[in-house]
Each structure stands twice: as C-alpha cells, then as structure tokens.
Amino acid sequence: MTSTRGRADTLSVLDRPNSYIGKTVPRPNLDRLLQGRGLYVSDLDLPRMAHVVFLRSPHAHARIVEIDAGAAKCMPGVIGVVTGRELAAVITPWVGVLSHLKGLKSAPQHAIAIERVCWQGEAVAAVVATSRAAAEDAMEQVAVDYEELEVVTDMRSAVDPSTPVIHAALGDNLAFERNHIAGDVDRAFSEADAVIEAEFVFGRHTGVTLEPRAVVADWNAAEARLTIYQGTQAPHMVQNIAALHLGLKESQVRVICKDVGGSFGIKVHIYADEMATYALSKLLRRPIKFVADRIESFNTDIHARDHRCKGRIGVKHDGKITAFEIDDLTGIGPYSMYPRTSAIEANQVVNLVGGPYVTQNYRARARVVFQNKNVTCQYRAVGHPIACSVTEGLVDLAAARIGMDPVEIRRRNLIADDGYPCVSPSGLRFEQLSHHASLAKLLGMMNYNALRAEQATLRGRNVHRGIGIASFIEVTNPSAAFYGVGGAKISSQDGVAVRLDAQGTVICQTSITEQGQGSESLTAQIVGSVLGVSMERVRVILGDTDNTPYGGGTWASRGAGIGGEAALQAAKVLRGNILDVAAAILQSTPAELDITSNNVVNASDGALRIELGELARIVYFRPDTLPPGVRPELMATRHFVPREYPFAFTNGAQASWLEVDVDTGFVKLLKHWVVEDCGTIINPQLVDEQIRGGVVQGLGAALFEKCIYDERGQLTNANMADYLVPMPGEMPDIDVGHVVSPTMESELGAKGAGEAGTAGAAAAVANAVNDALRPFSTTITEIPLTPQVVLTALGRI
C-alpha cells in the first residue's frame, strides 16, 4: 500500500508544533559516546586477528634494489613479511583518473611499492605478526637496499623540461591542465581604471583527525567473503573498489563503519595501506588489523591546499569589477589519488574564483603537477579556501587601490539577491543565493562602523587591529556531475529504508554515515517529524553495506540535503501506509486521521484513536482481523538524487577582527563572525557546530598549519610538536547567523553546511591582517600567516 500525499501535506507535518525540524535536540548517540561505549576500529579484536605494520621508505625517490626479511621472519610472533611483488598476485593496481577531467593522467599505483618508491613514507613491505609490538620489532630487522634517485619537490620547476620525469611512461610531470575563458577578458582589463596583480601562496596541510585511519579486514574462506571494518565516509565506495581490485563480486564484500573520530575528507579516499590490508587478509586467510600511528598519518594521510596562484582583477573608479584572471599551479605528489583524483581541487578553484560577483569576464588556467611528496587530494571545502582567498584578496586589493571601503565594493558587485537563477562565468548554475542579505546581516552582527571607529582610535595608540571581510559560495548536494560522469563508481544518490516494528518503534536504515556531524540526529529528526513519533522511538542504522540502502555516504556537505530528503520521502510513504491501515482498522478514511505523539488521532480534534504499538500488533500478529483486501506494508524505501541542478550552492559572508603585534609578528584573533545560508535548518545547534568547526580548520590554515618539506622531499614536521594545529587558547569567539534560502529541488529544502566555515575563514583573516598592516604599506598574500611571514613582510627579518 502506498500513498500519494504531496508537498503541502509534508510541509504541514514539518511545520506543526511537534515537528523536530528547526529545533535543537540532543544527539541520539550522545549518551553512548559520553559513557565510552563508542566502537571504533581500534576497539575491534577478532579471533585469530593479526596486526600489520608497514615498512616505509625514508627516501622521497629511490629504486628498491633488495629487501632482506630473513631475520624478521624468524622473530617471535611473526606470521609473514610480504613485499609488493608478492601482494600484487592478490590485488591489482589502480589509476586515479576521471574521464571528464580531460587529459588527466597518472601512473598505476600498487598497494605496496614494487620497484620504486616515489615519496617518503611509501610502503615497501608489510610485516604481519600476532601483536602490533611484535610486528614493529620485526620491522626493524627488515633490511632494504635503496638506490636514491633525483627528487622533484618544487611545483614551479616540476614542468621544466630540464627536470627529471617521475614516471617516464607519462612523458612529463604535468598531470592535468585546464584552461577556461569567458567574455572579453583583454578588453575588460584594457577598459579598467586599475589592474591589480598578486601571487597567492597556500601552505600544504592535512586533516589531523582525532582518530587515525584504521581498518580491520576479515577474509572468511569458508564463505568466500571479505568483511571490512573501516572508519570511512563512503562504505559502498569501499565495497566497490575492494571487490574490483581483489577480483571479487560486490556481494562478496561487506563494509561496516561504526563510530568514526573525525574525517574532514581524509577518510573518503582509498589508501594504498588500506588496500594492502584487504589483500593481506585474503592472502593469509585471517583477520588483519592496521591502525596508522601519528607519524604515519602525517606522512600518508592526504595533504591539501599546496597552491601558488597568480591573480589579476580589473576595476573602475566607481568600484565596478571588470574582470578576473588566475593562473593556478598545484603540486599533488607522485600519483593522482584514487578514485576521486587529485585534480578536483584545482578544477574547483577554476570553477569558484569570482563566483559571488557579477562580472562575466574571466580567464583561468590551472596546472596540476607531480612531485616527490605525499599525495594531495580532497579535504574539507575542496578548493573553496583557495578560490575564496584569491577572489576576496583581489577584491580587497582593488578597494584599497581606488580608495573604497571593502564593504562598499562588495555591495556594488555581488550578484543581486533577486538575480537568480543565473550562471557564473565558469558555467556554474546558481539556483538561489543571498549574498546581499548575508552581508547586511554580518555587518549588523559585528557592528562594522563601530569597529572601524575603534580601529582608528587604537591606531593612534600604535595598536594595529584589522577587519577582514570575505563573501563565499560553497558546493553542496553534488549530483552525478561530480564523479559519476567521469566513470567513478561513487554513488550520487542516497537511500533510506524506514519500517514500523511490532512495538511501534521506527527503524531507519540510511546510506549516509556519521563522523561526528550529526547524521544520526538529523535523520531521526526528519523521520520523527514526518511520522509524528518521538525521537526516542526512532532508531537509526548506518554504515553497513549489508543493512543499508545503496548510497554515496557523507562527503561534500551532502548528508542533510540528499540523505535527509531520502529520509523524508521514505517516511512520507510509511506515514501514508500507516494511515491507510489505521483507516481500515478504525472504519475511517486516511484524510480524517493524523499521527502525533506516537498515536493515530483524529485530524479534526486530536482525539486519540489508536496507539502505533497497537496498530503494529494487529498488522504483525492479527492480520486476520483486518478487512478483506487490506494488505498493510509497514516498510518503505526511497532514494534521492538531485537532477535539475548539478549542485546546490550555499553562500554566506565571514568577518575577522584581529590584532597584529608588529614587533613579534604574532596575530591575535579577537572575534570571528559567520552568516551562512544553508537552506532549511534541521538542527540549529548541529549546523552552528559544523560551521564553527569549519572556521577553526580555516583559521588553522590561515595562521598555523603547514607541512614543511626540505629540498630532499623530507617532511620535517610530522609530529604534533612541530605541526601546529589551532588550540582553544588561540581561538576567538565565533558568532554564527543565518539567512535561509531553501533549495526548491527537494521538499526538505536543505543544502549543506559542513564546509562553509572552512571556505571563507582564511580569506577573512588574511584580509584582516592586511587591513591591520595598511599603515605600513605592505600586503601579504601567503598563508599561513606565521610570525616569520609577517615580520619578513614588514622588513624586520
């Protein structure tokens, strides 16, 4: 039995007083986690489980001449020492390319290096033992003879014909190039009253998740089935790839993802050591556990943001922006990451530069080059901080050149809030954004004019404070246009199955995953609101390919917008089915009934008619009492994928208020503001937590975080003492406000919110630092803005 109730009915359900939509409610998993009952991969201990550690290359580029594992194999507890060549008999190599990124190339990558290592930290052998300690002791006894090769580290020289080619079969070190032009750029620059140029430099950094990457692979030879326990953002993607490269069917692979201690995009990729762990389990016919230590994480978790981007902006005296131009260069390590590729970030930079602004004249080039460093790939807010920092940095420089307030130049150029739908110069289609409303709300929250007055007063006392503004756009709810069109088996849809059990509890199985952002909570809120049941009666199951519908998982801020809409649609169908069977039991009609507070009631006066538990008892145990022809179905499954727009864009504005000590170079963050438009807000607290968390990561990139390599390709700060992450003491108060422009492509109207904070934070801070240093006639276009960078710009070191 199904129901055909439409949008109006759903909205009335979501809007009534007992709806959870738009309300802050406790996370369903909160008590379990606070009591230490979380189940992470590190907690798993299976019968006959062995532990693997990987012997990793100390060289950034070298030929493997010989591996002598004789002594290691004789040590107590050692089960085996496996080389890349031995493992290649079990698992095939992969190439990280997408067909819609035309010209993208990469070399085949193996789970363990066979002939050559291409970055410091690439695995050359796996040591498997009965304990982690035994494996580590044995690893020290494996002797490897290397022949060092010339190292390519500088992205600027990587494409020089005189530079050695890392993969000879590819011909050169250029992995990908994209050129784009819209409008009459040369004419627009020639007609500008001022043309400003700058080169923006972005330090390479990484995610530093609280829980490191971890996997337990369990090959059951009797069932010919592999079970993978892994902290991942995309279980069905892992299932597909493991099956593909191990020569299995997807039905032979089960992926279970329980609790995950942070992801930020780090855990949405497939890593060589994880693939090796799957293969080792199949090879040795027993469970194998791998947990990266912190140094391994720094050397092998994907890095991101390693860009040098030359930018130009043309502007008239009245503030009108005539054109943007960029030339972006980024280094990605020796391989394009699999399966999402390492060219997506540069491609996103091309797509997003100038996005909030009206001008249609835009020229861009992006080049992605190989180098002998760890691989880079998608990390929280892929490409957004680069594009935003370049765009907003240029806009601020233009304002300074023509003597205009940075807020005013934005007012004159941001796309009007009633100017949608529209298309950006890079071809992005915007459904509905709210740049002007967001900026106006931001200025009110921060009391902009009062801050300017305070700034002027303090400058007279030799205290240098700055205000930085940044408008941003964020890609969310990606459709198949993101990966599917390029041939990657990464689902753009998500699915939800809901059922009413025999006691009136709702079981909800969803394909999105939980890494701390509240997927479990938002799913329960949506389902509970549509069905009229309390959240305590909604149990959410996620992260298990055997027990959840097929879907993409949680990445690119898609959990609420895509997974949430699937939950809403499935719950709508189940609601209709419940009312149909209730009408049959009560000799009424579905239109005369409603569901509220776990009961079927009269729609007219709210009088109780039947409790859901009693209805379920009749359906499951006494169907003989139902009228003839009534066949109740208390389960429904629905999938959702955006179709009309390739992406649902969010937007907003950020501001930073900070102080620069011109004697020490230290930057002190005083206050940060964000206004964000993520469409329908399901749980305000969760949204604000996501935005604040994203801001903190953006502030880390702006001031602290950088993976520092030397000329030999050695990562010199692969530890928490030397790689600086933002701590509570350095963080300012972060005020969050909202403008709401729901997407019309879904009934829920939700967009994403997970990456908005990261997208604009660094740009706001960089603009604020330059604003503080305006009296010194210096401009800094490099992050992180360390004391050394600041003092160098001031000419003091």
Side-chain angles (χ1 to χ4, degrees):
M1 296 169 60
T2 60
S3 176
T4 57
R5 291 167 179 81
R7 180 184 174 96
D9 176 69
T10 302
L11 289 178
S12 66
V13 170
L14 299 186
D15 289 341
R16 62 189 182 181
N18 62 350
S19 171
Y20 292 108
I21 303 301
K23 296 180 180 178
T24 293
V25 296
R27 299 173 182 237
N29 58 357
L30 197 59
D31 287 345
R32 178 173 60 83
L33 293 175
L34 288 176
Q35 292 176 31
R37 298 283 183 172
L39 183 60
Y40 299 88
V41 174
S42 297
D43 298 321
L44 292 178
D45 189 9
L46 303 181
R48 298 183 64 249
M49 186 175 75
H51 298 257
V52 62
V53 298
F54 293 96
L55 178 62
R56 299 185 182 275
S57 169
H59 306 292
H61 199 196
R63 183 171 290 108
I64 303 170
V65 178
E66 184 180 7
I67 299 176
D68 182 0
K73 291 178 179 179
C74 297
M75 293 186 67
V78 173
I79 296 166
V81 179
V82 182
T83 65
R85 198 173 301 280
E86 293 168 318
L87 204 62
V90 182
I91 190 165
T92 59
W94 54 89
V95 180
V97 296
L98 291 169
S99 62
H100 68 299
L101 299 178
K102 299 194 181 301
L104 173 61
K105 62 190 180 187
S106 187
Q109 185 178 0
H110 290 270
I112 297 177
I114 295 178
E115 297 178 347
R116 196 165 50 101
V117 291
C118 293
W119 85 89
Q120 176 209 5
E122 186 172 9
V124 298
V127 181
V128 183
T130 53
S131 70
R132 173 72 179 246
E136 289 183 347
D137 289 344
M139 181 179 66
E140 295 181 1
Q141 302 303 312
V142 179
V144 184
D145 183 14
Y146 295 98
E147 176 190 336
E148 289 193 62
L149 301 172
E150 197 164 350
V151 175
V152 179
T153 57
D154 191 328
M155 69 174 81
R156 291 168 293 184
S157 62
V159 291
D160 192 300
S162 63
T163 300
V165 177
I166 295 174
H167 302 292
L170 299 181
D172 57 32
N173 292 323
L174 182 64
F176 174 69
E177 180 173 354
R178 178 185 173 190
N179 290 277
H180 177 83
I181 188 166
D184 192 338
V185 179
D186 291 330
R187 179 178 177 181
F189 277 120
S190 69
E191 293 178 350
D193 294 320
V195 176
I196 300 93
E197 301 183 8
E199 182 176 35
F200 297 84
V201 180
F202 301 89
R204 172 188 278 240
H205 56 273
T206 187
V208 198
T209 55
L210 189 61
E211 179 200 21
R213 291 186 298 107
V215 58
V216 172
D218 182 11
W219 171 255
N220 186 322
E223 297 180 352
R225 201 152 193 258
L226 177 68
T227 301
I228 297 170
Y229 302 87
Q230 184 167 334
T232 176
Q233 297 174 238
H236 284 100
M237 182 196 78
V238 173
Q239 178 191 44
N240 172 270
I241 288 174
L244 175 65
H245 293 283
L246 290 170
L248 302 172
K249 298 177 181 177
E250 281 196 27
S251 59
Q252 291 179 273
V253 179
R254 179 186 184 186
V255 179
I256 300 174
C257 175
K258 295 292 186 181
D259 294 305
V260 182
S263 293
F264 319 128
I266 295 296
K267 297 172 184 173
V268 78
H269 310 288
I270 296 293
Y271 292 82
D273 46 26
E274 295 166 355
M275 296 282 268
T277 304
Y278 311 156
L280 286 166
S281 179
K282 193 167 185 289
L283 178 70
L284 300 175
R285 300 164 69 91
R286 64 192 301 165
I288 304 292
K289 184 177 193 175
F290 165 66
V291 179
D293 63 29
R294 188 56 68 184
I295 292 178
E296 281 182 304
S297 293
F298 274 114
N299 280 283
T300 62
D301 287 359
I302 61 104
H303 294 174
R305 319 285 204 240
D306 198 3
H307 290 255
R308 303 185 74 95
C309 188
K310 296 178 180 178
R312 283 207 302 163
I313 186 173
V315 64
K316 305 286 281 187
H317 286 314
D318 64 1
K320 179 183 178 182
I321 297 171
T322 64
F324 286 99
E325 181 177 20
I326 65 162
D327 188 350
D328 182 53
L329 181 66
T330 180
I332 62 166
Y335 300 100
S336 174
M337 194 68 175
Y338 187 64
R340 295 167 188 264
T341 85
S342 301
I344 287 289
E345 179 159 281
N347 197 60
Q348 286 279 71
V349 172
V350 172
N351 285 339
L352 297 173
V353 163
Y357 296 99
V358 172
T359 180
Q360 291 297 303
N361 302 302
Y362 175 48
R363 181 162 53 213
R365 176 173 75 157
R367 288 174 296 163
V368 176
V369 300
F370 296 119
Q371 53 188 173
N372 293 118
K373 297 180 181 178
N374 184 26
V375 290
T376 71
C377 203
Q378 284 91 306
Y379 170 60
R380 192 173 195 171
V382 183
H384 294 63
I386 310 301
C388 185
S389 293
V390 171
T391 301
E392 297 301 294
L394 288 172
V395 170
D396 259 31
L397 290 174
R401 177 71 65 87
I402 64 173
M404 182 174 287
D405 185 271
V407 168
E408 184 59 29
I409 195 172
R410 287 172 171 83
R411 282 197 182 112
R412 298 187 183 194
N413 289 280
L414 289 168
I415 301 170
D417 290 356
D418 61 357
Y420 298 93
C422 67
V423 179
S424 77
S426 64
L428 299 178
R429 295 170 57 209
F430 299 139
E431 178 191 15
Q432 180 63 55
L433 301 178
S434 56
H435 291 298
H436 288 271
S438 297
L439 181 61
K441 184 159 189 173
L442 180 82
L443 297 175
M445 288 170 57
M446 63 189 294
N447 199 349
Y448 181 76
N449 292 332
L451 280 184
R452 282 293 181 203
E454 181 180 350
Q455 179 189 43
T457 301
L458 290 171
R459 276 182 180 171
R461 303 175 190 166
N462 203 32
V463 175
H464 299 283
R465 292 188 176 180
I467 303 168
I469 304 288
S471 295
F472 65 88
I473 53 179
E474 178 200 355
V475 175
T476 75
N477 295 10
S479 70
F482 216 68
Y483 294 117
V485 70
K489 299 293 178 65
I490 302 169
S491 179
S492 55
Q493 71 172 17
D494 273 298
V496 172
V498 292
R499 74 177 188 271
L500 189 71
D501 76 3
Q503 290 186 323
T505 294
V506 178
I507 310 298
C508 177
Q509 298 158 292
T510 176
S511 60
I512 64 173
T513 54
E514 171 77 74
Q515 299 104 43
Q517 70 278 77
S519 296
E520 188 175 339
S521 181
L522 72 88
T523 302
Q525 285 182 250
I526 293 168
V527 170
S529 297
V530 175
L531 290 178
V533 301
S534 58
M535 281 188 61
E536 294 77 14
R537 285 215 190 181
V538 181
R539 180 184 171 214
V540 179
I541 298 171
L542 34 65
D544 185 343
T545 57
D546 266 11
N547 291 300
T548 61
Y550 204 97
T554 302
W555 45 272
S557 301
R558 65 193 301 281
I562 297 180
E565 180 67 14
L568 184 146
Q569 296 299 335
K572 274 181 63 181
V573 176
L574 178 57
R575 173 185 170 83
N577 292 352
I578 292 171
L579 290 178
D580 286 341
V581 71
I585 294 172
L586 301 171
Q587 299 182 351
S588 182
T589 65
E592 295 175 306
L593 301 174
D594 195 4
I595 309 173
T596 183
S597 301
N598 310 314
N599 299 298
V600 177
V601 300
N602 285 333
S604 58
D605 59 11
L608 175 64
R609 298 299 302 276
I610 187 172
E611 206 273 341
L612 286 179
E614 175 62 13
L615 180 144
R617 184 193 67 81
I618 294 171
V619 168
Y620 287 117
F621 307 123
R622 292 302 309 274
D624 56 306
T625 63
L626 295 173
V630 174
R631 296 182 180 275
E633 179 61 71
L634 297 186
M635 183 170 184
T637 302
R638 286 295 182 269
H639 286 79
F640 176 73
V641 64
R643 297 294 295 273
E644 185 175 347
Y645 285 87
F647 312 98
F649 284 92
T650 71
N651 72 276
Q654 296 194 33
S656 178
W657 171 238
L658 53 77
E659 183 176 317
V660 180
D661 187 325
V662 296
D663 294 319
T664 66
F666 278 93
V667 176
K668 182 179 181 180
L669 299 169
L670 302 173
K671 193 70 180 274
H672 200 96
W673 298 267
V674 184
V675 172
E676 199 260 4
D677 183 347
C678 64
T680 300
I681 298 172
I682 298 168
N683 185 318
Q685 185 179 63
L686 289 180
V687 170
D688 289 0
E689 284 176 357
Q690 282 290 291
I691 291 172
R692 288 191 179 95
V695 167
V696 169
Q697 286 190 284
L699 297 178
L703 297 176
F704 307 110
E705 299 185 53
K706 185 177 182 180
C707 297
I708 302 172
Y709 281 86
D710 65 18
E711 68 280 356
R712 299 175 300 126
Q714 299 290 307
L715 181 57
T716 62
N717 61 334
N719 59 76
M720 295 299 291
D722 298 321
Y723 181 95
L724 303 180
V725 296
M727 303 292 281
E730 290 87 42
M731 291 298 97
D733 287 341
I734 302 169
D735 285 356
V736 181
H738 297 279
V739 174
V740 177
S741 303
T743 174
M744 299 304 293
E745 191 161 3
S746 67
E747 294 188 13
L748 185 61
K751 306 174 186 177
E755 298 169 290
T758 309
V765 168
N767 284 344
V769 168
N770 284 323
D771 185 54
L773 298 180
R774 199 78 65 203
F776 299 91
S777 300
T778 187
T779 299
I780 305 175
T781 55
E782 175 182 354
I783 61 171
L785 289 151
T786 62
Q788 180 179 4
V789 168
V790 173
L791 292 178
T792 300
L794 290 170
R796 306 204 172 180
I797 60 173

